[in-house]
Amino acid sequence: MSKKLDQATQTLKPPRGRRTNGTGLSSTTIMDVAREAGVSYATVSRVVNNKEYVKSDTRERVLKAITSLGYVVNQQARSLAGGRSYAVGLLVRDLGSSYMGEIVKGIDDALSAAQYNLMLYTTHRRKIKERIYVNNLIQGMTDGLLLVLPENLEAYLETLDQTHFPYVLIDHQGLDERTPVVITTNWQGGYDATRYLIELGHRRIGFITGMMDMLSSQDRLNGYQAALRDHGLPVDPQLVYEGTFYQPGGYSGAQSLLQLPEPPTAIFASNDVMAFGVMEAVRDAGLRIPSDISVIGFDNISQASQVAPPLTTVAQPLEQLGREAVRMLLMRMNNPEQPIERSILPTTLIIRQSCDVPRNV
Amino acid sequence: MSKKLDQATQTLKPPRGRRTNGTGLSSTTIMDVAREAGVSYATVSRVVNNKEYVKSDTRERVLKAITSLGYVVNQQARSLAGGRSYAVGLLVRDLGSSYMGEIVKGIDDALSAAQYNLMLYTTHRRKIKERIYVNNLIQGMTDGLLLVLPENLEAYLETLDQTHFPYVLIDHQGLDERTPVVITTNWQGGYDATRYLIELGHRRIGFITGMMDMLSSQDRLNGYQAALRDHGLPVDPQLVYEGTFYQPGGYSGAQSLLQLPEPPTAIFASNDVMAFGVMEAVRDAGLRIPSDISVIGFDNISQASQVAPPLTTVAQPLEQLGREAVRMLLMRMNNPEQPIERSILPTTLIIRQSCDVPRNV
DNA sequence: TTTATTTATGCAAACGCTTACAGAAAAAGA
DNA sequence: TCTTTTTCTGTAAGCGTTTGCATAAATAAA
């Protein structure tokens, strides 16, 4: 390309004047509103931010100007000036599961009610350079961070804690008691489901765990074992299969449990997706649910009620988990000195049709 | 609260001086880097933005200062000054499905490769005031917008087109040929799957549609019908059941098809989720897949390979759909005058084990 | 060499907003 | 009525960048 042409393009650049939003349409600024309402721009700012000390009819006038001009604040400018971006970062592994979907739904609802924007960061696959990554987040892009089931947490938490950047963990126990988290009563959920099966009359109950590096998996297992013990039943390690939280884990787990010399009459999977795998394996073995084998899950994702037979499961209040996390985060953002909360939401046993009394009782 | 106390708090407010990021940790600015490298801040900016006219050893020096100080640009400021936010908005209904998950994965990958941030907007449930909403998006928050399967598109498109705001539609045909979209060959996918069944020997093939207000549903249906016609088979309306794209739709669709006086030997569901419903209904009817009934899906979500038997289906390149949409969007953002592209990605028939030759052949 | 060009750097203004500060207006006390 | 206090509004500075313009340094041409 010739130099001349280059210069020509140069000259064509828009003048620095009025901001055009990159779209050709110039956007209304606080100045325009001020002019329209016949006040200073500072007053407009006060109205927009709901500050005190504005005469009510002035406020009216400004508000009217705002709507008539269709003014909406420029977050970047606001953020630059005031140090708030009105955006929250959400860090997740991936988004494909309805588990994730429901949590995000809750987050999103609560956030938009509070007029906050949501920046999404997924960590799937990519090995991120934690330091830089987190730096980016806290470098004013967002005012706070929500982490759902974070993987190598230590890497984040160090930077986060050092800079006193507000964050909340979702469905993760954190490193210690001083980590702000929102979790559910996993132990109790495991206990309740198991007790339910016991009360139906089951004596041999198979259990398929989640990924055992997750505390929630351990809690569910512990709840299961505690219920057995409390009812005077043996805790047979043969009945526990280490799963993955994915469907194939449930399938092979059930296969292996059913091949036991003394197979269980009920199988408790640590999440619904694995329970679906269990159902498949049970059927493939020529058995019927619930008459031959009872199946119970965990999570209560929306599909759970749609399969046949509808799955009895332990409901996690996923959407509420997200909502609660946002509440906590906003709280921390506004009162950084507040003591750290840990919020524990209750699970509920949802009884549907995948469990029945065992055959031989 | 007493006035005195109020004043006291007033006095306690941090001085306006050095920006503290709201976290207590002051962040490094372009100025710090300039000082460290012994150049002007303008030069630092040039280096950061890869502009020409910077001596290579100066560039080195600046780069070194940047890494040593851990500097990362402040997007808000950059946006304010330069009119670019380096963020893209993503508008989706909800996130629970693996359909969505895979598209988002592609988007996210491509976006972060291009150093862009992702702002998430979900429209589920909430009846949004379109105008204000869209305004918000384009008010400098984002530089472009990606819409996945948008619902009441007209509302958005008007504002978007008026302001020449860059956007791309994903898996939606748009209003006319002048809408930039990324779609897949739905018609061809429907055709291919049907032809495959015909070639296996099937003569009566049931079809369960998606939501018929979506063009993609119509295309799949048309592909199915065309294949029948091309092979000299009758197009029997009895064999077409109007579904929903959700599992129960598939279940009841299959039930109804199987109850026909002359039931089909194969069922083609317009997406995998409904195909799962079909499989369930088939089994509940005491029939086997694929020996009694062949089942074929559409989408190739990850679960499709995990069910038993693994589902034969038409793969949509979902992740690539997202990736391609980002490519198009960035292109439009950088060259607004370019003619509008419509990108059509090919579907592929994935043959697994849910189809077989019909029994009576 | 001297002059014209090209390359490299710095200065300053602007982006749209928030907020400390100062001053005006209104309300409350004397 | 005149202070004092309180409420209201405007001015100006600053947030961290980008970028037009001016100028300096380096290079090429004469």
Side-chain angles (χ1 to χ4, degrees), chain B residues 17-29:
Chain B
R18 204 144 162 57
R19 165 56 52 93
T20 64
N21 214 356
T23 60
L25 235 188
S26 64
S27 50
T28 16
T29 75

Side-chain angles (χ1 to χ4, degrees), chain A residues 17 19 29-30 41-42 45 49 51 71 74 77-78 81:
Chain A
R19 164 55 51 91
T29 75
I30 205 175
Y41 53 87
S45 173
N49 293 286
K51 293 269 161 99
Y71 167 78
N74 178 319
R78 168 184 266 189

Side-chain angles (χ1 to χ4, degrees), chain A residues 31-257:
Chain A
M31 295 300 213
D32 302 321
V33 178
R35 201 174 313 115
E36 174 84 6
V39 295
S40 77
Y41 53 87
T43 300
V44 176
S45 173
R46 286 189 193 100
V47 171
V48 170
N49 293 286
N50 254 307
K51 293 269 161 99
E52 48 188 355
Y53 297 144
V54 180
K55 228 199 283 185
S56 61
D57 66 321
T58 312
R59 189 180 295 272
E60 292 284 292
R61 212 147 20 99
V62 172
L63 253 24
K64 200 173 299 174
I66 286 178
T67 43
S68 94
L69 293 178
Y71 167 78
V72 15
V73 305
N74 178 319
Q75 290 295 0
Q76 345 273 340
R78 168 184 266 189
S79 160
L80 238 201
R84 275 254 178 143
S85 68
Y86 290 91
V88 160
L90 172 61
L91 197 70
V92 302
R93 264 174 237 242
D94 57 68
L95 290 163
S97 61
S98 69
Y99 165 86
M100 218 50 244
E102 291 186 42
I103 292 181
V104 173
K105 193 183 288 183
I107 290 174
D108 186 69
D109 268 12
L111 235 32
S112 58
Q115 309 251 53
Y116 267 78
N117 283 115
L118 181 55
M119 304 239 38
L120 184 69
Y121 300 89
T122 58
T123 60
H124 69 89
R125 198 151 25 143
R126 201 178 324 131
K127 197 72 209 135
I128 49 175
K129 300 195 184 86
E130 316 291 354
R131 194 38 117 1
I132 292 176
Y133 201 64
V134 176
N135 254 352
N136 235 311
L137 292 188
I138 66 182
Q139 198 73 326
M141 277 303 304
T142 62
D143 298 333
L145 188 58
L146 254 23
L147 302 103
V148 184
L149 277 178
E151 263 156 313
N152 38 2
L153 189 57
E154 299 77 5
Y156 300 106
L157 248 48
E158 195 187 346
T159 317
L160 252 28
D161 280 332
Q162 267 174 20
T163 56
H164 297 125
F165 192 76
Y167 67 93
V168 170
L169 264 45
I170 298 177
D171 208 0
H172 190 293
Q173 313 266 359
L175 300 180
D176 55 41
E177 288 296 312
R178 304 191 329 278
T179 314
V181 301
V182 188
I183 47 181
T184 56
T185 54
N186 283 299
W187 186 92
Q188 192 66 46
Y191 190 96
D192 291 346
T194 310
R195 185 179 52 192
Y196 170 67
L197 291 171
I198 295 172
E199 285 170 354
L200 278 178
H202 293 275
R203 290 295 169 263
R204 283 185 70 72
I205 300 171
F207 187 88
I208 301 177
T209 76
M211 287 183 257
M212 286 309 283
D213 55 336
M214 290 165 68
L215 254 176
S216 57
S217 297
Q218 294 173 33
D219 285 348
R220 290 172 197 181
L221 175 59
N222 290 338
Y224 155 80
Q225 292 174 333
L228 292 179
R229 270 191 293 267
D230 284 1
H231 292 79
L233 293 175
V235 177
D236 183 350
Q238 280 207 310
L239 288 175
V240 175
Y241 180 91
E242 186 165 339
T244 55
F245 277 142
Y246 296 108
Q247 187 147 349
Y251 189 89
S252 52
Q255 278 192 324
S256 131
L257 288 171

Side-chain angles (χ1 to χ4, degrees), chain B residues 7-186:
Chain B
Q7 282 198 329
T9 353
Q10 194 83 353
T11 332
L12 275 177
K13 273 186 184 163
R16 292 218 87 227
R18 204 144 162 57
R19 165 56 52 93
T20 64
N21 214 356
T23 60
L25 235 188
S26 64
S27 50
T28 16
T29 75
I30 206 175
M31 295 300 211
D32 302 321
V33 177
R35 203 173 312 116
E36 174 84 5
V39 296
S40 78
Y41 53 88
T43 301
V44 176
S45 172
R46 286 188 193 101
V47 171
V48 170
N49 292 288
N50 255 308
K51 295 267 161 100
E52 48 189 354
Y53 296 144
V54 179
K55 228 198 283 183
S56 64
D57 66 322
T58 310
R59 189 180 295 272
E60 292 284 292
R61 212 145 23 97
V62 171
L63 253 22
K64 201 174 296 173
I66 285 178
T67 45
S68 93
L69 293 179
Y71 166 78
V72 14
V73 307
N74 179 319
Q75 289 295 0
Q76 346 272 341
R78 169 183 265 187
S79 161
L80 237 202
R84 275 255 176 141
S85 68
Y86 290 92
V88 160
L90 172 62
L91 197 70
V92 301
R93 263 174 238 242
D94 56 66
L95 289 164
S97 61
S98 69
Y99 165 85
M100 218 50 244
E102 291 186 43
I103 292 182
V104 174
K105 192 183 290 183
I107 290 174
D108 185 70
D109 268 12
L111 235 32
S112 58
Q115 309 253 52
Y116 267 79
N117 283 115
L118 181 54
M119 305 237 39
L120 184 69
Y121 300 89
T122 58
T123 60
H124 69 89
R125 208 158 7 154
R126 199 180 326 130
K127 198 70 211 138
I128 48 174
K129 300 191 182 86
E130 317 292 356
R131 194 38 119 359
I132 291 176
Y133 200 66
V134 176
N135 256 351
N136 236 311
L137 292 188
I138 66 183
Q139 196 73 326
M141 278 303 305
T142 62
D143 299 333
L145 190 57
L146 254 22
L147 302 103
V148 184
L149 277 178
E151 263 154 312
N152 39 2
L153 189 57
E154 300 77 5
Y156 299 106
L157 249 48
E158 194 188 344
T159 317
L160 252 27
D161 279 332
Q162 268 174 21
T163 56
H164 296 125
F165 192 76
Y167 67 93
V168 170
L169 264 43
I170 299 177
D171 208 0
H172 191 294
Q173 313 264 1
L175 300 180
D176 54 40
E177 289 295 314
R178 302 192 329 278
T179 313
V181 301
V182 188
I183 47 180
T184 55
T185 54
N186 282 299

Side-chain angles (χ1 to χ4, degrees), chain B residues 184-334:
Chain B
T184 55
T185 54
N186 282 299
W187 185 93
Q188 191 65 45
Y191 189 96
D192 292 345
T194 310
R195 184 178 52 190
Y196 170 66
L197 291 171
I198 295 171
E199 285 171 354
L200 278 178
H202 293 276
R203 291 295 167 265
R204 281 186 72 72
I205 300 171
F207 187 87
I208 301 177
T209 76
M211 286 184 260
M212 286 309 284
D213 55 337
M214 289 164 67
L215 253 176
S216 57
S217 297
Q218 295 174 31
D219 285 348
R220 290 173 198 181
L221 175 59
N222 290 338
Y224 155 82
Q225 292 173 333
L228 292 179
R229 270 191 293 268
D230 285 1
H231 291 80
L233 293 175
V235 177
D236 183 352
Q238 280 207 308
L239 287 175
V240 174
Y241 180 91
E242 185 165 340
T244 56
F245 277 142
Y246 296 108
Q247 187 147 351
Y251 189 89
S252 51
Q255 278 192 322
S256 130
L257 289 170
L258 293 174
Q259 277 162 14
L260 248 36
E262 206 181 337
T265 58
I267 298 179
F268 178 9
S270 285
N271 73 354
D272 288 347
V273 173
M274 287 197 302
F276 298 152
V278 170
M279 290 172 100
E280 222 170 273
V282 168
R283 265 194 292 256
D284 284 359
L287 299 170
R288 305 216 134 235
I289 301 166
S291 51
D292 297 320
I293 295 275
S294 292
V295 178
I296 199 162
F298 209 111
D299 278 356
N300 191 33
I301 64 178
S302 58
Q303 267 187 72
S305 63
Q306 295 175 8
V307 291
L311 183 69
T312 292
T313 187
V314 179
Q316 295 213 76
L318 294 177
E319 197 174 325
Q320 202 191 325
L321 216 56
R323 215 180 284 281
E324 171 70 4
V326 169
R327 189 195 64 70
M328 278 175 61
L329 184 64
L330 293 179
M331 180 73 95
R332 296 202 73 203
M333 280 160 41
N334 296 323

